[in-house]
């Protein structure tokens, strides 16, 4: 075309072309992103697997986030009944509430706490959508006009003729449900289905409200007419509402048409077009996880750790946890029904697994079963624990690729306390730890865990003892089975601090795709074990015939809070009250040394610590104790090889016994009632020494105590002759560096020291419960201290209050 001959036509073409381009851009613009705010109320006491508000919201967010055929939405999950920052409601396109109702007390319903109702009204006025689910539909009749405007109807518990004032009704039955308005967008892709549900019906709606459309209808047993139990409303201001009285049983999410109905409703109230076939979602059958527990090293409270693991793992709403306290249940024929086994168990001084349990467990892993190994579970079934006969080479070399090895100079841990955990380069790319920020935990930092087979380390933390970045979590495979191992998890708080990575690791080991987001682990604190729980700390204690934690299963209960009792000579220390602690001195770690005391131990149900110096992670730690079950006098010195000196003498008969230990650089001897009962040649292994307190009737870290009485503790920096039973209280001489008679306790809870060093022993009532306070405040510095010609490196620990 010659634009010179038709100048106006040329101009017109340019304008038309520009308009066409603008139209094309306008038509291709992305629709606005719709924001869905999901709110879960607090869990208050319905039986487990019912009224699972938090799980419902976590699951709904995951399903919406991963939906393949709905685009242009973003979701938020909020808990405890309301968003912490309620400004997030101001641009929400729909708000979904799943919570308690207000029939018992109006403020049990989160909407009626404070000024929340008015704040919701503000969002409704701008056309925001609103969904009420199950018990949330219990609204007070005083807001009839607003609730029926926003969501169409509600459960009326105040304006009925019955004695309880209910107009609406509740009944649980299983029966067919059908579509009340098949042409409605919420009904897309939904087929009539059978549902077992606690239905609410005879609901309160406005009279002749043409806006309300029945979506789900069903007929109560014996009734002559159908009842609407799910409904939708579209307001004049454009806002949309949906109410549904189903949702009592958590298992109903695994019904595709139930799930599709709710997902359709949520996106519809957000003004998103519902696909013709409905919102698609993928939810395979629930993954069952089995926690194997029931025993552990005495310093580990396996009940508390199990109680923390359950809610952490079940924050993934696809996982359902069961517990066994019988490790040989691994022999059960239907082990394959579990997608994951979690080891929170160490047999320590107990028998190992049966051959049937071993073989079945290996078959399970080789066929693709998942395994998660927590903390000291890597110390089970090895050849360096007290029960060496339980050694299972396949477990400690192949199934568990990094184990705790008690050989002197090998495995150890920093003092319990706070430290930073970071991802590795491999962890930055692995689905378990990808995007995981560094986090602070409160735990034992394990180091020098032993094993040679390859692993993929995901997390590390720097040890104050080794000065190295030590692996904290890693993955590998055994046969077709995935294994996630972490040495984190000493205590319940430790599990929660690392809860995010533990939940992710469990899902990975169980071959589940990652959850779309990370629910706040803080929700699992103070977890409520409701009726219907397959395991709880209370039921575990009851089954064991206990009413409080026992020394073999965690911190020692205080049976007598008084630290003074009748002793061998005058008064004595009632160690059950918590023990006594002396400020650490270099004298207590210099050899030769003789330690003497009188003890009266009630039983051998657990370890009984008589006297202990410094933390177990110290190369100059020493302790005298009795073994559980046998009651045999034993000494433990981790800096020596061998590290245990064992006798065959049972001291746990509720009688007074004189005990002594003589430590030389190359020899350790034990004495009971004036007789030598053990004589062991030893060699010192160079290692770090963590300077700390001296403990009587307890470990320094307070995690294990003594179920009995201790009297007349004397420590000498010489080799004393032990040939007969003392017949009088000990006396101090020039070699005595500590002597506590336990006859008097001053106003500051101190027992005087009769030696020239005058180092009082401080009584701490129920001190085992105070270990977090002391150890979390530890400050450690490195220095050189001579010890003979080959002095160990010294790490000095100072704690609040000395």
């Amino acid at each position: 075309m010659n634009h010179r001959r038709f100048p106006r036509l040329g101009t017109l073409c340019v304008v038309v072309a520009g308009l066409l381009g603008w139209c094309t851009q306008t038509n291709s613009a992305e629709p606005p992103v719709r924001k869905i705010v999901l709110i879960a109320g607090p869990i208050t006491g319905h039986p487990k697997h019912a009224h699972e508000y938090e799980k419902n919201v976590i699951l709904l967010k995951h399903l919406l986030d991963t939906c393949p055929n709905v685009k242009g939405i973003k979701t938020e999950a909020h808990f405890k009944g309301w968003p912490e920052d309620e400004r997030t409601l101001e641009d929400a396109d729909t708000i979904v509430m799943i919570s308690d109702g207000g029939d018992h007390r109006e403020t049990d319903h989160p909407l009626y706490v404070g000024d929340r109702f008015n704040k919701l009204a503000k969002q409704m006025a701008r056309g925001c959508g609103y969904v009420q689910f199950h018990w949330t539909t219990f609204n007070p009749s005083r807001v009839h006009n607003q609730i029926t405007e926003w969501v169409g109807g509600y459960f009326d518990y105040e304006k009925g003729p019955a004695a309880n004032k209910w107009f609406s009704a509740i009944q649980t039955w299983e029966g067919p449900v059908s579509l009340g308005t098949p042409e409605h967008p919420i009904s897309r892709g939904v087929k009539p289905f059978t549902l077992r549900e606690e239905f609410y019906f005879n609901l309160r709606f406005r009279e002749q409200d043409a806006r309300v459309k029945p979506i789900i209808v069903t007929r109560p047993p014996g009734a002559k007419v159908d009842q609407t139990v799910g409904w939708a409303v579209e307001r004049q201001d454009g806002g949309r509402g949906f109410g549904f009285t189903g949702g009592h049983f958590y298992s109903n999410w695994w019904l595709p048409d139930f799930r599709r109905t709710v997902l359709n409703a949520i996106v519809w109230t957000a003004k998103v077009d519902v696909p013709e076939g409905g919102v698609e979602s993928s939810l395979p059958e629930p993954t069952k996880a089995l926690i194997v527990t029931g025993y552990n090293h005495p310093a580990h409270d396996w009940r508390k750790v199990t109680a923390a693991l359950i809610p952490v793992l079940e924050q993934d709403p696809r996982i359902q946890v069961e517990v066994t306290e019988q490790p040989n249940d691994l022999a059960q024929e239907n082990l394959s029904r579990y997608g994951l086994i979690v080891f929170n168990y160490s047999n320590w001084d107990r028998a190992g697994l049966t051959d049937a349990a071993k073989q079945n467990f290996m078959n399970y892993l080789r066929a693709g079963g998942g395994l998660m190994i927590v903390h000291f579970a890597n110390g089970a079934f090895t050849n360096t624990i007290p029960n060496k006969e339980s050694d299972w080479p396949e477990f400690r070399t192949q199934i568990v690729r990094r184990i705790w090895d008690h050989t002197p100079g090998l495995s150890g841990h920093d003092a319990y306390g706070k430290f930073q955990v970071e991802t590795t380069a491999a962890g930055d790319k692995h689905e378990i730890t990808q995007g995981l920020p560094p986090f602070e935990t409160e735990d034992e930092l394990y180091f020098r865990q032993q094993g040679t087979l390859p692993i993929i380390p995901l997390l590390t933390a720097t040890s104050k003892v080794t000065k190295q970045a030590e692996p904290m979590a890693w993955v590998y495979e055994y046969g077709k089975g995935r294994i996630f191992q972490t040495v984190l998890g000493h205590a319940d708080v430790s599990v929660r601090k690392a809860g995010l990575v533990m939940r992710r690791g469990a899902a990975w080991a169980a071959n589940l795709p990652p959850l779309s987001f990370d629910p706040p682990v803080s929700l699992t604190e103070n977890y409520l074990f409701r009726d219907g729980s397959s395991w709880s700390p209370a039921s575990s204690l009851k089954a064991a015939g206990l009413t409080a934690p026992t020394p073999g299963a965690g911190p020692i209960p205080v049976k007598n809070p008084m630290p003074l009792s009748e002793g061998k000579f005058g008064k004595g220390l009632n160690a059950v009250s918590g023990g006594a602690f002396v400020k650490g001195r270099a004298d207590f770690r210099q050899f030769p040394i003789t330690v003497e005391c009188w003890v009266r131990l009630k039983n051998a149900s657990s370890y009984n610590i008589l006297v202990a110096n410094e933390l177990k992670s110290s190369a100059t730690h020493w302790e005298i104790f009795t073994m559980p079950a046998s009651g045999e006098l034993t000494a433990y010195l981790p800096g020596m090889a061998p590290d245990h000196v064992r006798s065959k003498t049972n001291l746990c008969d509720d009688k007074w016994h004189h005990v002594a230990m003589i430590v030389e650089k190359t020899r350790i001897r034990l004495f009971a009632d004036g007789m030598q009962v053990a004589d062991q040649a030893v060699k010192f292994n160079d290692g770090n020494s963590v300077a700390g307190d001296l403990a009587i009737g307890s470990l320094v870290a307070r995690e294990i105590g003594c179920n009995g009485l201790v009297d007349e503790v004397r420590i000498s920096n010489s080799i004393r002759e032990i040939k007969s039973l003392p017949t009088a209280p000990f006396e101090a001489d020039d070699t005595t560096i500590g002597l506590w008679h336990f006859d008097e306790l001053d106003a500051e809870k101190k027992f005087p020291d009769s030696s020239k060093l005058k180092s009082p022993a401080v009584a701490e009532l129920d001190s085992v419960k105070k270990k977090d306070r002391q150890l979390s405040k530890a400050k450690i510095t490195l220095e050189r201290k001579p010890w003979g010609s080959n002095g160990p490196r010294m790490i000095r620990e100072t704690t609040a209050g000395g």
Side-chain angles (χ1 to χ4, degrees):
M1 180 181 295
N2 190 336
H3 288 173
R4 292 180 181 178
R5 294 182 60 187
F6 304 99
R8 292 181 180 178
L9 184 58
T11 301
L12 178 62
C13 289
V14 172
V15 172
V16 170
L19 289 171
L20 288 172
W22 177 82
C23 292
T24 301
Q25 291 176 4
T26 301
N27 291 336
S28 64
E30 292 291 329
V33 174
R34 299 295 186 178
K35 179 177 170 181
I36 298 169
V37 173
L38 306 164
I39 302 174
I43 302 297
T44 56
H46 270 76
K48 191 170 184 179
H49 307 307
H51 290 232
E52 295 281 6
Y53 310 140
E54 293 172 356
K55 286 185 180 181
N56 290 344
V57 161
I58 295 169
L59 182 62
L60 283 170
K61 175 169 170 54
H62 173 74
L63 295 175
L64 289 166
D65 289 346
T66 58
C67 169
N69 68 337
V70 175
K71 305 300 180 184
I73 61 172
K74 66 177 182 178
T75 63
E76 292 181 358
H78 300 274
F79 302 92
K80 299 184 179 179
W82 201 251
E84 288 186 9
D85 185 354
E86 56 193 20
R87 291 176 298 179
T88 192
L89 301 177
E90 294 175 0
D91 62 347
D93 290 286
T94 192
I95 298 168
V96 181
M97 291 192 73
I98 306 177
S99 68
D100 280 0
D103 52 317
H104 298 300
R105 182 177 57 185
E106 189 172 282
T107 53
D108 288 345
H109 195 308
L111 183 58
Y112 301 102
V113 174
D115 197 37
R116 292 174 181 174
F117 185 83
N118 291 331
K119 291 173 179 175
L120 182 69
K122 178 182 176 182
Q123 310 312 320
M124 297 299 102
R126 64 175 176 80
C128 180
Y130 187 44
V131 175
Q132 288 194 333
F133 188 80
H134 199 52
W135 202 3
T136 320
T137 61
F138 278 57
N139 294 278
S141 58
R142 65 180 178 81
V143 294
H144 169 89
N145 291 338
Q146 296 97 317
I147 289 296
T148 54
E149 174 66 19
W150 301 339
V151 77
Y154 64 99
F155 188 107
D156 182 351
Y157 56 85
E158 293 180 313
K159 298 295 185 180
N164 63 1
K165 303 299 184 183
W166 283 14
F167 172 83
S168 303
I170 295 177
Q171 189 174 348
T172 299
W173 73 86
E174 182 173 0
V177 298
S178 57
L179 300 176
T181 310
E183 67 277 11
H184 196 281
I186 295 177
S187 302
R188 290 176 183 168
V190 180
K191 301 174 183 177
F193 57 100
T194 298
L195 181 64
R196 177 179 177 266
E197 185 58 271
E198 180 190 72
F199 289 107
Y200 308 159
F201 57 97
N202 197 38
L203 304 167
R204 181 71 77 178
F205 298 99
R206 292 179 179 178
E207 295 291 335
Q208 305 299 317
D209 190 351
R211 304 172 309 140
V212 175
K213 306 298 181 185
I215 301 298
I216 297 294
V217 297
T218 187
R219 184 169 297 184
K224 296 182 179 180
V225 296
D226 287 344
Q227 289 279 342
T228 296
V229 295
W231 63 95
V233 65
E234 192 159 8
R235 310 194 299 266
Q236 289 184 353
D237 60 14
R240 297 172 176 178
F242 177 72
F244 183 39
T245 71
H248 179 82
F249 297 110
Y250 182 65
S251 60
N252 283 337
W253 289 115
W254 275 262
L255 299 174
D257 291 293
F258 176 95
R259 192 166 69 242
R260 186 176 292 111
T261 300
V262 177
L263 293 173
N264 286 355
I266 291 173
V267 300
W268 179 78
T269 59
K271 299 177 183 175
V272 176
D273 289 337
V274 180
E276 283 302 315
V279 176
E280 295 179 8
S281 62
S282 176
L283 190 60
E285 286 300 306
T287 295
K288 291 187 177 296
L290 178 67
I291 296 179
V292 177
T293 190
Y295 198 65
N296 213 308
H297 183 283
H300 296 118
D301 191 333
W302 55 267
R303 286 191 178 92
K304 282 190 176 181
V305 169
T306 298
L309 281 169
I310 291 170
V312 162
L313 300 184
E314 287 191 343
Q315 272 206 304
D316 189 323
R318 304 164 298 179
I319 294 177
Q320 296 178 2
V321 177
E322 299 176 9
V323 176
T324 179
E325 295 182 14
Q326 303 299 326
N328 282 315
D329 282 351
L330 292 172
Q332 61 182 281
E333 293 181 2
N334 60 348
L335 197 63
S336 60
R337 72 190 184 96
Y338 296 104
L340 176 70
I341 291 174
V342 181
F343 251 72
N344 175 35
Y345 177 83
S346 174
N347 63 308
W348 191 239
D349 52 7
R350 290 189 175 183
L353 295 178
T354 65
D355 289 343
K358 291 177 183 178
Q359 189 61 55
N360 203 41
F361 182 43
M362 289 188 292
N363 293 343
Y364 163 85
L365 293 173
R366 290 166 179 164
L371 176 62
M372 176 175 172
I373 303 161
V374 179
H375 198 55
F376 192 65
N378 75 337
F381 315 128
T382 76
N383 57 357
T384 65
I385 58 176
N387 186 5
K388 295 178 173 58
E389 291 73 20
S390 68
D391 181 35
W392 181 15
E394 183 75 9
F395 185 84
R396 64 174 166 84
T397 62
Q398 305 290 322
I399 297 174
V400 181
R401 290 196 175 177
R402 295 296 181 270
I403 66 166
W404 182 293
D405 190 323
H406 292 271
T407 302
L410 294 184
S411 303
H413 66 74
D414 287 16
Y416 180 95
K418 295 179 180 179
F419 56 88
Q420 191 85 350
V421 181
E422 298 184 348
T423 56
T424 64
D428 289 338
K429 300 175 183 178
H430 198 280
E431 68 182 52
I432 294 176
T433 44
Q434 190 174 38
L436 180 72
F439 64 93
E440 183 184 72
T441 190
E442 192 170 337
D443 212 321
E444 291 176 334
L445 196 162
Y446 278 20
F447 54 76
R448 292 198 292 264
Q449 304 302 287
Q450 300 298 301
T452 58
L453 292 180
I455 59 173
I456 301 174
L458 305 179
L459 299 174
T460 62
T462 300
S463 166
K464 295 174 182 176
V465 175
T466 68
K467 306 300 181 183
Q468 301 294 320
E470 302 287 348
M472 294 290 103
W474 51 90
V475 293
Y476 51 95
E477 294 184 359
Y478 178 89
K480 296 179 180 179
R482 289 178 166 185
I483 298 180
F484 168 70
Q485 182 177 352
T486 179
V487 290
L488 299 171
H490 172 79
D492 52 350
V493 66
S494 312
V495 170
R496 287 189 290 272
K497 293 282 188 181
L500 190 156
V501 72
M502 287 192 177
R503 176 187 53 74
R504 288 187 184 184
W508 175 85
N511 277 288
L512 288 171
L515 202 61
S516 69
F517 77 112
D518 293 314
V521 181
S522 59
L523 294 173
T524 67
E525 194 166 359
N526 300 317
Y527 178 75
L528 180 63
F529 284 91
R530 296 168 283 160
D531 290 346
S533 297
S534 62
W535 182 94
S536 71
S539 66
S540 175
L541 287 166
K542 184 177 180 180
L546 303 171
T547 56
T550 58
I556 300 171
V558 178
K559 300 178 182 177
N560 182 354
M562 299 303 296
L564 277 175
S565 186
E566 291 301 316
K568 175 63 177 177
F569 300 103
K571 298 294 184 181
L573 173 67
N574 180 6
V576 178
S577 68
F581 300 84
V582 180
K583 187 175 181 179
R585 301 185 61 93
D587 308 74
F588 300 151
R589 71 176 76 95
Q590 299 294 329
F591 302 150
I593 195 171
T594 300
V595 183
E596 301 169 88
C597 64
W598 282 89
V599 296
R600 182 177 179 179
L601 306 175
K602 295 183 179 179
N603 55 58
S605 62
S606 68
Y607 289 89
N608 288 296
I609 308 299
L610 310 184
V611 189
N613 183 54
E614 302 177 337
L615 295 167
K616 284 179 175 285
S617 54
S618 172
T620 48
H621 167 81
W622 53 259
E623 64 184 80
I624 316 171
F625 65 96
T626 63
M627 293 291 294
S630 69
E632 292 171 350
L633 177 63
T634 309
Y636 173 59
L637 295 89
M640 299 291 192
D643 59 358
H644 280 79
V645 179
R646 306 178 189 276
S647 78
K648 296 296 183 181
T649 303
N650 177 12
L651 301 182
C652 300
D653 56 3
D654 203 21
K655 297 178 181 178
W656 283 105
H657 295 278
H658 174 254
V659 175
M661 175 180 72
I662 299 176
V663 181
E664 303 172 72
K665 292 181 180 178
T666 59
R667 183 185 185 190
I668 299 173
R669 286 173 284 169
L670 297 178
F671 299 82
D673 298 326
M675 302 289 292
Q676 181 175 295
V677 294
D679 188 351
Q680 178 70 58
V682 294
K683 178 182 179 181
F684 177 72
N685 294 297
D686 186 32
N688 294 322
S689 183
V690 180
D693 291 346
L694 176 84
I696 301 169
S698 172
L699 287 177
V700 175
R702 276 79 165 167
E703 70 265 49
I704 309 178
C706 177
N707 190 19
L709 308 176
V710 182
D711 198 6
E712 294 295 315
V713 175
R714 181 169 66 176
I715 302 178
S716 308
N717 61 5
S718 63
I719 300 174
R720 290 191 178 274
E721 286 193 1
I722 311 293
K723 292 184 176 180
S724 61
L725 278 175
T727 57
F730 294 137
E731 295 181 356
D733 56 25
D734 289 341
T735 69
T736 305
I737 55 177
L739 175 54
W740 299 273
H741 297 294
F742 301 109
D743 288 328
E744 56 182 313
L745 186 67
D746 66 19
E748 296 180 336
K749 298 190 301 181
K750 293 180 178 179
F751 296 102
D753 175 11
S754 297
S755 78
K756 60 188 177 183
L757 299 181
K758 303 301 180 185
S759 300
V762 181
E764 291 193 30
L765 300 183
D766 195 15
S767 62
V768 292
K769 295 183 179 179
K770 300 179 182 179
K771 77 168 186 175
D772 292 354
R773 174 184 62 77
Q774 173 165 345
L775 297 179
S776 66
K777 296 180 180 178
K779 297 179 180 178
I780 295 178
T781 57
L782 185 67
E783 58 180 306
R784 271 281 181 186
K785 289 289 182 182
W787 186 14
S789 58
N790 297 306
R793 286 173 293 168
M794 184 65 58
I795 293 179
R796 181 166 302 281
E797 178 188 55
T798 60
T799 61

